[in-house]
Amino acid sequence: MIIEVSAITPGIGAEITGLDISQPLDKDTIARLRELFLRHLVLVFRDQVLSREDHKQFARHFAELHVHPSHRSGLNKGGDPEIFVIDTPADAKQSNGEAWHSDVSCEAVPPMASLLYVTKVPDNGGGDTMFANMYEAFSELSNDLKTLLMGKTAFHDGEIDLRNYGIRLAAGQQYPQASHPIIARHPDTGRPLLFVNGSFTSHIEDIPRWESDMLLSGLYDFVATNARLQCRVKWTPNTLVMWDNRCVQHQAIRDYAGFARYGERVSILDGKPPEAAQH
Ligand code: SIN
């Protein structure tokens, strides 16, 4: 098998061809994919016909499977706990992940990666996903701001995200919350990255709330409005996209009201909580 790689932008994203990921993959191929994953952060595999088990098996090559807290908390009853369904019917009022975020950063150990397999794309041609490189987001900050943020932690609260979907926890139900470094060190590359996002981060700890709000909203605007950090993936049916959830944020573009889109996501865990980058 000859893997071909075509970068989407110099900083983030690559289309991978020449590989049928439903087939058993040897050690060298997995090692090459790991290398590409760490280099490009977002890998796009098109024209893949995958059963749920194929999807999970491909993900298991990289790490163990994560169970989404909506399953653990009992909010999401039934279904396969290792599959997070992203189903947007034509008449849906809202879809999943419309704001910039990294997946469930409220977990004490957030997933290292997510692998979303989209089988139904909207008939109006919409439903793309944006991805942003959080190494670059950090690197573009001024030295003064880097120094201010280094060593600080932020509180991530899953209920913020639930509220965005109008979901309230019932008495006795629990959802994850965690404190993470704002500037984290990637466990595999050692590079510093910005680790706060508007869907899960509640506040920067140990500073006044208004200062936290000011800093976080500035950082979110910087990520959302800085095209240099970003790439955009246009889905075609049967595409799997794998992204590094430690150093990438993403946003699902809801420009397809009146049309259906369907995908299933598997996330994986390396078991390593985000660690603070050192000065
Ligand atoms: C998500 O994983 O947050 C949703 C991404 C998408 O549907 O494109």
Side-chain angles (χ1 to χ4, degrees), residues 86 96-97 101 103 116 127-129 235 243 250-252 261 265:
I86 299 181
N96 190 76
H101 66 287
D103 289 329
L116 175 60
D128 299 354
T129 305
W235 298 88
W243 63 87
H250 59 286
Q251 177 198 38
R261 180 178 185 267
R265 193 178 79 202

Side-chain angles (χ1 to χ4, degrees), residues 85-118:
V85 173
I86 299 181
D87 182 12
T88 316
D91 61 355
K93 299 269 178 295
Q94 206 179 0
S95 62
N96 190 76
E98 289 180 43
W100 281 102
H101 66 287
S102 52
D103 289 329
V104 282
S105 64
C106 56
E107 295 270 38
V109 182
M112 67 169 271
S114 286
L115 299 91
L116 175 60
Y117 179 51
V118 169

